[in-house]
Amino acid sequence: MVCDLPLPTSFTSRPTVTQPSPTSASVHPPAYNYSTIVDYTLNLDIVHSEIPTKFSRAPRTCPFYKRMPHSNFAIDAFSYGRIPDCTGYFLTHFHADHYGGLTSTFNHGPIYCSAVTANLVIHKLGVNSQWVRVLPLNQPVLIGEARVTLFEANHCPGSVLFFFDIPLPSPATAARSFKILHTGDFRACPAQCLNPYIKDTQLDALYLDTTYLDPTYAFPPQREVIEAAPKHRLDDRLLFVVGTYTIGKERIFASIAEALDSKVYVDYPKKRILRCLEDPALWARLTDRAADAQVHVTAMNRITKLHMEAYLRENPAFTHLAAIKPTGWTFACRGLPRRRTFTMEHPTPISRSSNLLIMGVPYSEHSSFRELAAFVLSIQVKQIIPTVNVGDPARREEMRVWLDKWQAYKKHSGVQRIPVRQDYW
DNA sequence: GCGATCAGTT
DNA sequence: CACAACTGATCGC
């Protein structure tokens, strides 16, 4: 299995980093409007003071890239108390670094999210359901003047992209609307670009999850990793243990369990979380009896040699244990992007002994560099605003150079989208 | 007891 | 080492 297919070198070869543009005289963030976004994007240094730093003790204010221009909406912005004039608090998915600050005492206004995220917000955080508004997938809903549509983000269960289509107020521009796509955290795939609301749409702004916007980050398509599950039932006394965070990585343990025709054991707190996912096939595979399941799920931080040795002793029905640590950076190395292969028959062992194997599995829930390139090259958009790695000026500059390069490539080549085969670029 | 913040872990 | 995401300690009320 090939880790990464080649993209034309014209848009994946490393560009030279140019010097930052001259700093604006003003350090005070002006009101949020389209020209502000242009300024911010061209020179993010002027809003560096807005980006939270680890050592700041001052009360934090919501940074510009979490507020949607021409609206009173904020995205994944629960760490700033009540945001002045905010009429809609949007949540892209249920990971702590995005819902951070959201607690049972929240009373600032409506929270808009998917059904799965709503279940988790209510049942895990205890947020009063009077504040939670479930939005459907792939179906526009009017919120005030704005038309909002959610799409599958391919990150974790319940994760969504938000598409905002906002009428512009002034008579001169009444015929036009302002169109924003916010990716939250996502793993880019062609279906996101090809859906009828995005395909052939000229977007004004793309708020982009730029986590792996660096050619270092090359890893296989998720489908190939899922299909790398054992092809047939192995020794009944071999136990698979899969590490997970609160939500995410379900497709790994589900596909292994399916291949082994086994139940899946999770502890009771995890079972309560999985119930929120509204996935009947996953639910039907669960069991409360550890000895009945050849596939167990545990917290990611338990996937260590010491913990797994103890785990095997605690489960005497099994003689051998294969622990799986799904992670996005297994194949990441500093320097040039590499091609590697991955199969369960030739795993990447983190640790092994006579009866214990711990392997890293390159199962990322963020886009690879290549997928990010294909996504940006398959979308028509005026401005791209990174939402990740924005705290480091050097990273901001590197990201800006890549994004400018892709934008220029589209403009000069006339390419509108990257060809798709079998639902993948 | 609750929430905010930061340091530490894998 | 890289990284996202989580966990735990500490502080203030």
Short mmCIF file of all heavy atoms in Angstrom, two decimals, chain A residues 174-232:
data_model
loop_
_atom_site.label_atom_id
_atom_site.label_comp_id
_atom_site.label_asym_id
_atom_site.label_seq_id
_atom_site.Cartn_x
_atom_site.Cartn_y
_atom_site.Cartn_z
N ALA A 174 -27.17 44.27 -2.37
CA ALA A 174 -28.30 43.43 -1.96
C ALA A 174 -28.42 42.16 -2.79
O ALA A 174 -28.92 41.15 -2.31
CB ALA A 174 -29.60 44.23 -2.03
N ALA A 175 -27.94 42.22 -4.02
CA ALA A 175 -28.08 41.05 -4.89
C ALA A 175 -27.10 39.94 -4.50
O ALA A 175 -27.24 38.81 -4.92
CB ALA A 175 -27.86 41.45 -6.35
N ARG A 176 -26.10 40.32 -3.69
CA ARG A 176 -25.04 39.37 -3.38
C ARG A 176 -25.14 38.93 -1.92
O ARG A 176 -25.71 39.60 -1.09
CB ARG A 176 -23.68 40.02 -3.62
CG ARG A 176 -22.69 39.15 -4.35
CD ARG A 176 -21.39 39.89 -4.57
NE ARG A 176 -20.62 40.05 -3.36
CZ ARG A 176 -19.96 39.05 -2.75
NH1 ARG A 176 -20.02 37.83 -3.24
NH2 ARG A 176 -19.27 39.27 -1.67
N SER A 177 -24.57 37.80 -1.63
CA SER A 177 -24.47 37.37 -0.24
C SER A 177 -23.02 37.01 0.04
O SER A 177 -22.23 36.79 -0.87
CB SER A 177 -25.39 36.17 0.02
OG SER A 177 -24.99 35.07 -0.77
N PHE A 178 -22.69 36.97 1.32
CA PHE A 178 -21.33 36.65 1.75
C PHE A 178 -21.29 35.17 2.13
O PHE A 178 -22.07 34.72 2.97
CB PHE A 178 -20.94 37.53 2.94
CG PHE A 178 -19.47 37.55 3.22
CD1 PHE A 178 -18.63 38.40 2.51
CD2 PHE A 178 -18.93 36.73 4.21
CE1 PHE A 178 -17.27 38.42 2.77
CE2 PHE A 178 -17.57 36.75 4.47
CZ PHE A 178 -16.74 37.60 3.75
N LYS A 179 -20.39 34.44 1.50
CA LYS A 179 -20.39 32.97 1.67
C LYS A 179 -19.10 32.52 2.36
O LYS A 179 -18.00 32.78 1.88
CB LYS A 179 -20.53 32.29 0.31
CG LYS A 179 -21.85 32.63 -0.40
CD LYS A 179 -21.97 31.89 -1.72
CE LYS A 179 -23.26 32.28 -2.43
NZ LYS A 179 -23.25 33.71 -2.87
N ILE A 180 -19.28 31.84 3.48
CA ILE A 180 -18.15 31.38 4.29
C ILE A 180 -18.23 29.88 4.49
O ILE A 180 -19.30 29.36 4.82
CB ILE A 180 -18.17 32.03 5.70
CG1 ILE A 180 -18.29 33.55 5.62
CG2 ILE A 180 -16.96 31.61 6.52
CD1 ILE A 180 -18.65 34.19 6.96
N LEU A 181 -17.10 29.20 4.30
CA LEU A 181 -17.01 27.79 4.71
C LEU A 181 -16.03 27.71 5.87
O LEU A 181 -14.88 28.18 5.77
CB LEU A 181 -16.53 26.91 3.54
CG LEU A 181 -16.50 25.40 3.81
CD1 LEU A 181 -17.89 24.86 4.11
CD2 LEU A 181 -15.90 24.65 2.61
N HIS A 182 -16.48 27.13 7.01
CA HIS A 182 -15.62 26.94 8.17
C HIS A 182 -15.45 25.44 8.37
O HIS A 182 -16.43 24.73 8.57
CB HIS A 182 -16.26 27.58 9.41
CG HIS A 182 -15.33 27.66 10.59
ND1 HIS A 182 -14.80 26.54 11.19
CD2 HIS A 182 -14.82 28.73 11.26
CE1 HIS A 182 -14.01 26.92 12.19
NE2 HIS A 182 -14.00 28.23 12.25
N THR A 183 -14.20 24.96 8.31
CA THR A 183 -14.01 23.50 8.31
C THR A 183 -13.97 22.89 9.71
O THR A 183 -14.02 21.67 9.83
CB THR A 183 -12.69 23.11 7.61
OG1 THR A 183 -11.59 23.57 8.38
CG2 THR A 183 -12.63 23.67 6.21
N GLY A 184 -13.90 23.69 10.76
CA GLY A 184 -13.64 23.10 12.08
C GLY A 184 -12.37 22.29 11.98
O GLY A 184 -11.43 22.67 11.27
N ASP A 185 -12.29 21.18 12.71
CA ASP A 185 -11.26 20.17 12.45
C ASP A 185 -11.84 19.24 11.40
O ASP A 185 -13.01 18.83 11.50
CB ASP A 185 -10.93 19.38 13.72
CG ASP A 185 -9.94 20.10 14.63
OD1 ASP A 185 -9.51 21.22 14.27
OD2 ASP A 185 -9.60 19.55 15.68
N PHE A 186 -11.07 18.89 10.38
CA PHE A 186 -11.63 18.02 9.34
C PHE A 186 -10.55 17.20 8.66
O PHE A 186 -9.36 17.51 8.75
CB PHE A 186 -12.42 18.83 8.30
CG PHE A 186 -11.59 19.48 7.20
CD1 PHE A 186 -11.96 19.37 5.86
CD2 PHE A 186 -10.45 20.22 7.50
CE1 PHE A 186 -11.23 19.96 4.86
CE2 PHE A 186 -9.70 20.83 6.48
CZ PHE A 186 -10.09 20.70 5.16
N ARG A 187 -10.98 16.09 8.04
CA ARG A 187 -10.10 15.37 7.13
C ARG A 187 -10.73 15.52 5.75
O ARG A 187 -11.81 14.97 5.46
CB ARG A 187 -9.94 13.91 7.51
CG ARG A 187 -8.97 13.23 6.54
CD ARG A 187 -8.16 12.12 7.15
NE ARG A 187 -7.17 11.65 6.17
CZ ARG A 187 -6.36 10.64 6.34
NH1 ARG A 187 -6.39 9.97 7.47
NH2 ARG A 187 -5.50 10.29 5.41
N ALA A 188 -10.06 16.28 4.89
CA ALA A 188 -10.62 16.66 3.60
C ALA A 188 -10.89 15.43 2.74
O ALA A 188 -10.11 14.48 2.72
CB ALA A 188 -9.65 17.59 2.88
N CYS A 189 -12.02 15.44 2.04
CA CYS A 189 -12.35 14.39 1.07
C CYS A 189 -13.17 15.03 -0.05
O CYS A 189 -13.77 16.10 0.14
CB CYS A 189 -13.08 13.23 1.74
SG CYS A 189 -14.64 13.67 2.51
N PRO A 190 -13.18 14.42 -1.23
CA PRO A 190 -13.83 15.05 -2.39
C PRO A 190 -15.31 15.36 -2.18
O PRO A 190 -15.80 16.37 -2.68
CB PRO A 190 -13.63 14.01 -3.50
CG PRO A 190 -12.41 13.25 -3.11
CD PRO A 190 -12.45 13.19 -1.62
N ALA A 191 -16.01 14.50 -1.42
CA ALA A 191 -17.45 14.71 -1.24
C ALA A 191 -17.74 16.10 -0.66
O ALA A 191 -18.78 16.70 -0.95
CB ALA A 191 -18.02 13.63 -0.33
N GLN A 192 -16.81 16.62 0.15
CA GLN A 192 -17.03 17.93 0.77
C GLN A 192 -17.00 19.04 -0.29
O GLN A 192 -17.74 20.03 -0.18
CB GLN A 192 -15.96 18.18 1.84
CG GLN A 192 -16.07 17.22 3.01
CD GLN A 192 -14.79 17.10 3.80
OE1 GLN A 192 -13.72 17.47 3.32
NE2 GLN A 192 -14.88 16.57 5.01
N CYS A 193 -16.15 18.88 -1.30
CA CYS A 193 -16.05 19.90 -2.36
C CYS A 193 -17.14 19.73 -3.41
O CYS A 193 -17.49 20.69 -4.09
CB CYS A 193 -14.70 19.79 -3.07
SG CYS A 193 -13.30 19.94 -1.95
N LEU A 194 -17.64 18.51 -3.56
CA LEU A 194 -18.55 18.20 -4.67
C LEU A 194 -20.01 18.31 -4.28
O LEU A 194 -20.88 18.17 -5.14
CB LEU A 194 -18.26 16.78 -5.18
CG LEU A 194 -16.88 16.61 -5.85
CD1 LEU A 194 -16.62 15.14 -6.20
CD2 LEU A 194 -16.76 17.49 -7.09
N ASN A 195 -20.33 18.56 -3.01
CA ASN A 195 -21.74 18.68 -2.64
C ASN A 195 -22.33 19.91 -3.33
O ASN A 195 -21.63 20.88 -3.62
CB ASN A 195 -21.94 18.68 -1.12
CG ASN A 195 -21.71 20.03 -0.50
OD1 ASN A 195 -22.45 20.98 -0.77
ND2 ASN A 195 -20.67 20.12 0.31
N PRO A 196 -23.65 19.86 -3.63
CA PRO A 196 -24.25 20.89 -4.49
C PRO A 196 -24.14 22.32 -3.95
O PRO A 196 -24.23 23.26 -4.73
CB PRO A 196 -25.72 20.45 -4.60
CG PRO A 196 -25.92 19.45 -3.52
CD PRO A 196 -24.60 18.80 -3.27
N TYR A 197 -23.93 22.48 -2.64
CA TYR A 197 -23.85 23.83 -2.08
C TYR A 197 -22.46 24.44 -2.27
O TYR A 197 -22.30 25.66 -2.25
CB TYR A 197 -24.22 23.81 -0.59
CG TYR A 197 -25.61 23.30 -0.36
CD1 TYR A 197 -25.84 21.97 -0.03
CD2 TYR A 197 -26.72 24.15 -0.53
CE1 TYR A 197 -27.13 21.48 0.16
CE2 TYR A 197 -28.01 23.68 -0.34
CZ TYR A 197 -28.20 22.34 0.00
OH TYR A 197 -29.47 21.88 0.17
N ILE A 198 -21.44 23.60 -2.42
CA ILE A 198 -20.06 24.07 -2.51
C ILE A 198 -19.53 24.01 -3.94
O ILE A 198 -18.82 24.93 -4.39
CB ILE A 198 -19.15 23.24 -1.56
CG1 ILE A 198 -19.63 23.37 -0.12
CG2 ILE A 198 -17.69 23.66 -1.69
CD1 ILE A 198 -19.66 24.79 0.43
N LYS A 199 -19.88 22.94 -4.64
CA LYS A 199 -19.42 22.79 -6.02
C LYS A 199 -19.91 23.98 -6.85
O LYS A 199 -21.08 24.36 -6.78
CB LYS A 199 -20.00 21.48 -6.61
CG LYS A 199 -19.39 21.10 -7.93
CD LYS A 199 -20.08 19.86 -8.50
CE LYS A 199 -19.49 19.55 -9.87
NZ LYS A 199 -20.52 19.03 -10.79
N ASP A 200 -19.03 24.60 -7.62
CA ASP A 200 -19.35 25.74 -8.48
C ASP A 200 -19.78 26.99 -7.70
O ASP A 200 -20.34 27.92 -8.27
CB ASP A 200 -20.45 25.38 -9.50
CG ASP A 200 -20.05 24.20 -10.37
OD1 ASP A 200 -18.86 24.14 -10.76
OD2 ASP A 200 -20.91 23.34 -10.63
N THR A 201 -19.54 27.00 -6.39
CA THR A 201 -19.85 28.20 -5.59
C THR A 201 -18.58 29.00 -5.37
O THR A 201 -17.55 28.45 -4.99
CB THR A 201 -20.44 27.78 -4.22
OG1 THR A 201 -21.67 27.11 -4.44
CG2 THR A 201 -20.69 29.01 -3.34
N GLN A 202 -18.67 30.31 -5.62
CA GLN A 202 -17.55 31.21 -5.31
C GLN A 202 -17.67 31.61 -3.85
O GLN A 202 -18.59 32.35 -3.46
CB GLN A 202 -17.61 32.43 -6.22
CG GLN A 202 -16.62 33.53 -5.88
CD GLN A 202 -15.18 33.16 -6.19
OE1 GLN A 202 -14.87 32.68 -7.29
NE2 GLN A 202 -14.30 33.36 -5.24
N LEU A 203 -16.77 31.09 -3.02
CA LEU A 203 -16.78 31.43 -1.60
C LEU A 203 -16.02 32.72 -1.37
O LEU A 203 -15.06 33.03 -2.08
CB LEU A 203 -16.13 30.31 -0.77
CG LEU A 203 -16.79 28.93 -0.81
CD1 LEU A 203 -15.89 27.90 -0.14
CD2 LEU A 203 -18.15 28.97 -0.11
N ASP A 204 -16.44 33.48 -0.35
CA ASP A 204 -15.70 34.68 0.02
C ASP A 204 -14.57 34.35 0.99
O ASP A 204 -13.50 34.93 0.91
CB ASP A 204 -16.65 35.69 0.65
CG ASP A 204 -17.64 36.22 -0.38
OD1 ASP A 204 -17.23 37.03 -1.22
OD2 ASP A 204 -18.81 35.77 -0.37
N ALA A 205 -14.82 33.42 1.92
CA ALA A 205 -13.80 33.11 2.92
C ALA A 205 -13.85 31.64 3.29
O ALA A 205 -14.93 31.04 3.39
CB ALA A 205 -14.02 33.97 4.17
N LEU A 206 -12.67 31.06 3.48
CA LEU A 206 -12.52 29.67 3.95
C LEU A 206 -11.73 29.71 5.25
O LEU A 206 -10.57 30.12 5.26
CB LEU A 206 -11.79 28.83 2.90
CG LEU A 206 -11.38 27.41 3.30
CD1 LEU A 206 -12.61 26.53 3.52
CD2 LEU A 206 -10.47 26.78 2.25
N TYR A 207 -12.36 29.30 6.36
CA TYR A 207 -11.67 29.17 7.64
C TYR A 207 -11.21 27.72 7.72
O TYR A 207 -12.03 26.81 7.76
CB TYR A 207 -12.60 29.54 8.80
CG TYR A 207 -12.87 31.02 8.86
CD1 TYR A 207 -13.75 31.62 7.97
CD2 TYR A 207 -12.21 31.83 9.78
CE1 TYR A 207 -13.98 32.99 8.00
CE2 TYR A 207 -12.44 33.20 9.83
CZ TYR A 207 -13.31 33.77 8.93
OH TYR A 207 -13.52 35.12 8.96
N LEU A 208 -9.88 27.53 7.70
CA LEU A 208 -9.32 26.21 7.36
C LEU A 208 -8.54 25.60 8.52
O LEU A 208 -7.68 26.26 9.13
CB LEU A 208 -8.41 26.38 6.13
CG LEU A 208 -7.80 25.13 5.54
CD1 LEU A 208 -8.87 24.20 4.97
CD2 LEU A 208 -6.80 25.50 4.43
N ASP A 209 -8.81 24.32 8.80
CA ASP A 209 -8.01 23.53 9.74
C ASP A 209 -6.68 23.22 9.08
O ASP A 209 -6.57 22.35 8.24
CB ASP A 209 -8.77 22.23 10.08
CG ASP A 209 -7.88 21.18 10.76
OD1 ASP A 209 -6.82 21.56 11.30
OD2 ASP A 209 -8.27 20.00 10.74
N THR A 210 -5.65 23.96 9.48
CA THR A 210 -4.33 23.86 8.85
C THR A 210 -3.35 23.04 9.70
O THR A 210 -2.13 23.24 9.61
CB THR A 210 -3.77 25.28 8.63
OG1 THR A 210 -3.94 26.03 9.84
CG2 THR A 210 -4.48 25.98 7.51
N THR A 211 -3.88 22.12 10.52
CA THR A 211 -3.03 21.34 11.43
C THR A 211 -1.79 20.76 10.74
O THR A 211 -0.68 20.91 11.22
CB THR A 211 -3.84 20.19 12.06
OG1 THR A 211 -4.93 20.73 12.77
CG2 THR A 211 -2.98 19.36 13.00
N TYR A 212 -1.97 20.10 9.61
CA TYR A 212 -0.86 19.42 8.93
C TYR A 212 -0.49 20.11 7.62
O TYR A 212 -0.16 19.45 6.62
CB TYR A 212 -1.19 17.94 8.70
CG TYR A 212 -1.26 17.13 9.97
CD1 TYR A 212 -2.28 16.19 10.17
CD2 TYR A 212 -0.31 17.28 10.97
CE1 TYR A 212 -2.34 15.43 11.33
CE2 TYR A 212 -0.37 16.53 12.14
CZ TYR A 212 -1.38 15.60 12.31
OH TYR A 212 -1.44 14.85 13.47
N LEU A 213 -0.56 21.43 7.62
CA LEU A 213 -0.19 22.18 6.41
C LEU A 213 1.34 22.30 6.33
O LEU A 213 1.92 23.37 6.53
CB LEU A 213 -0.87 23.56 6.42
CG LEU A 213 -0.59 24.51 5.24
CD1 LEU A 213 -0.68 23.79 3.92
CD2 LEU A 213 -1.56 25.66 5.27
N ASP A 214 1.97 21.17 6.07
CA ASP A 214 3.44 21.08 5.95
C ASP A 214 3.70 19.74 5.25
O ASP A 214 3.14 18.71 5.67
CB ASP A 214 4.07 21.11 7.35
CG ASP A 214 5.59 21.05 7.28
OD1 ASP A 214 6.13 20.13 6.63
OD2 ASP A 214 6.24 21.90 7.90
N PRO A 215 4.55 19.73 4.18
CA PRO A 215 4.73 18.49 3.40
C PRO A 215 5.33 17.35 4.20
O PRO A 215 5.32 16.20 3.75
CB PRO A 215 5.66 18.92 2.27
CG PRO A 215 6.22 20.23 2.66
CD PRO A 215 5.26 20.86 3.60
N THR A 216 5.82 17.64 5.39
CA THR A 216 6.28 16.58 6.31
C THR A 216 5.17 15.56 6.55
O THR A 216 5.44 14.38 6.75
CB THR A 216 6.66 17.21 7.66
OG1 THR A 216 7.61 18.24 7.42
CG2 THR A 216 7.24 16.18 8.60
N TYR A 217 3.95 16.04 6.58
CA TYR A 217 2.85 15.19 7.04
C TYR A 217 2.20 14.45 5.89
O TYR A 217 1.28 14.94 5.25
CB TYR A 217 1.84 16.02 7.84
CG TYR A 217 2.50 16.61 9.06
CD1 TYR A 217 2.72 17.98 9.16
CD2 TYR A 217 2.96 15.79 10.06
CE1 TYR A 217 3.37 18.51 10.25
CE2 TYR A 217 3.61 16.31 11.16
CZ TYR A 217 3.81 17.67 11.25
OH TYR A 217 4.46 18.18 12.34
N ALA A 218 2.76 13.28 5.63
CA ALA A 218 2.23 12.37 4.62
C ALA A 218 1.81 11.08 5.31
O ALA A 218 2.57 10.53 6.08
CB ALA A 218 3.31 12.09 3.58
N PHE A 219 0.58 10.67 5.09
CA PHE A 219 0.13 9.39 5.65
C PHE A 219 -0.96 8.81 4.75
O PHE A 219 -1.48 9.51 3.88
CB PHE A 219 -0.35 9.55 7.10
CG PHE A 219 -1.07 10.84 7.41
CD1 PHE A 219 -2.38 11.03 7.01
CD2 PHE A 219 -0.44 11.87 8.11
CE1 PHE A 219 -3.05 12.21 7.30
CE2 PHE A 219 -1.11 13.06 8.40
CZ PHE A 219 -2.42 13.22 7.99
N PRO A 220 -1.28 7.53 4.90
CA PRO A 220 -2.17 6.86 3.94
C PRO A 220 -3.61 7.37 4.03
O PRO A 220 -4.02 7.88 5.08
CB PRO A 220 -2.11 5.39 4.34
CG PRO A 220 -1.02 5.27 5.35
CD PRO A 220 -0.82 6.62 5.94
N PRO A 221 -4.37 7.14 2.95
CA PRO A 221 -5.82 7.38 3.03
C PRO A 221 -6.41 6.54 4.15
O PRO A 221 -5.98 5.40 4.38
CB PRO A 221 -6.34 6.92 1.67
CG PRO A 221 -5.16 6.91 0.77
CD PRO A 221 -3.96 6.67 1.63
N GLN A 222 -7.38 7.10 4.87
CA GLN A 222 -7.95 6.41 6.02
C GLN A 222 -8.53 5.04 5.64
O GLN A 222 -8.41 4.07 6.39
CB GLN A 222 -9.05 7.29 6.62
CG GLN A 222 -9.22 7.16 8.09
CD GLN A 222 -10.27 8.11 8.61
OE1 GLN A 222 -11.44 8.01 8.26
NE2 GLN A 222 -9.87 9.04 9.43
N ARG A 223 -9.13 4.99 4.47
CA ARG A 223 -9.77 3.74 4.05
C ARG A 223 -8.75 2.61 3.98
O ARG A 223 -9.05 1.47 4.36
CB ARG A 223 -10.42 3.92 2.67
CG ARG A 223 -11.25 2.71 2.25
CD ARG A 223 -11.50 2.70 0.76
NE ARG A 223 -12.18 3.90 0.32
CZ ARG A 223 -12.21 4.32 -0.94
NH1 ARG A 223 -11.55 3.65 -1.87
NH2 ARG A 223 -12.85 5.42 -1.26
N GLU A 224 -7.54 2.91 3.53
CA GLU A 224 -6.53 1.85 3.42
C GLU A 224 -6.09 1.35 4.78
O GLU A 224 -5.77 0.17 4.94
CB GLU A 224 -5.33 2.36 2.61
CG GLU A 224 -5.71 2.68 1.19
CD GLU A 224 -4.50 2.88 0.30
OE1 GLU A 224 -3.43 2.34 0.61
OE2 GLU A 224 -4.65 3.58 -0.70
N VAL A 225 -6.07 2.23 5.76
CA VAL A 225 -5.70 1.81 7.11
C VAL A 225 -6.79 0.94 7.70
O VAL A 225 -6.53 -0.08 8.34
CB VAL A 225 -5.42 3.04 7.99
CG1 VAL A 225 -5.08 2.61 9.41
CG2 VAL A 225 -4.28 3.85 7.41
N ILE A 226 -8.05 1.34 7.46
CA ILE A 226 -9.17 0.55 7.98
C ILE A 226 -9.18 -0.83 7.32
O ILE A 226 -9.38 -1.85 7.98
CB ILE A 226 -10.50 1.29 7.72
CG1 ILE A 226 -10.57 2.53 8.62
CG2 ILE A 226 -11.70 0.40 7.96
CD1 ILE A 226 -11.61 3.53 8.21
N GLU A 227 -8.88 -0.87 6.02
CA GLU A 227 -8.90 -2.15 5.31
C GLU A 227 -7.68 -3.01 5.64
O GLU A 227 -7.63 -4.17 5.26
CB GLU A 227 -8.98 -1.90 3.79
CG GLU A 227 -10.38 -1.43 3.40
CD GLU A 227 -10.46 -0.99 1.95
OE1 GLU A 227 -9.43 -1.04 1.26
OE2 GLU A 227 -11.57 -0.60 1.53
N ALA A 228 -6.70 -2.41 6.33
CA ALA A 228 -5.52 -3.19 6.74
C ALA A 228 -5.81 -4.06 7.96
O ALA A 228 -4.92 -4.77 8.42
CB ALA A 228 -4.35 -2.25 7.02
N ALA A 229 -7.04 -4.03 8.48
CA ALA A 229 -7.40 -4.91 9.61
C ALA A 229 -7.13 -6.36 9.21
O ALA A 229 -7.12 -6.69 8.03
CB ALA A 229 -8.88 -4.72 9.95
N PRO A 230 -6.90 -7.23 10.19
CA PRO A 230 -6.64 -8.64 9.87
C PRO A 230 -7.72 -9.18 8.95
O PRO A 230 -8.90 -8.91 9.13
CB PRO A 230 -6.69 -9.32 11.24
CG PRO A 230 -6.38 -8.26 12.21
CD PRO A 230 -6.92 -6.99 11.62
N LYS A 231 -7.31 -9.97 7.97
CA LYS A 231 -8.25 -10.44 6.94
C LYS A 231 -9.04 -11.65 7.40
O LYS A 231 -10.02 -12.04 6.80
CB LYS A 231 -7.50 -10.78 5.65
CG LYS A 231 -6.87 -9.56 4.97
CD LYS A 231 -7.93 -8.72 4.26
CE LYS A 231 -7.30 -7.58 3.50
NZ LYS A 231 -6.71 -6.55 4.42
N HIS A 232 -8.57 -12.31 8.46
CA HIS A 232 -9.24 -13.52 8.91
C HIS A 232 -9.04 -13.66 10.41
O HIS A 232 -8.17 -13.01 11.01
CB HIS A 232 -8.67 -14.76 8.20
CG HIS A 232 -7.17 -14.82 8.24
ND1 HIS A 232 -6.50 -15.34 9.31
CD2 HIS A 232 -6.24 -14.37 7.37
CE1 HIS A 232 -5.20 -15.24 9.09
NE2 HIS A 232 -5.01 -14.64 7.93
#
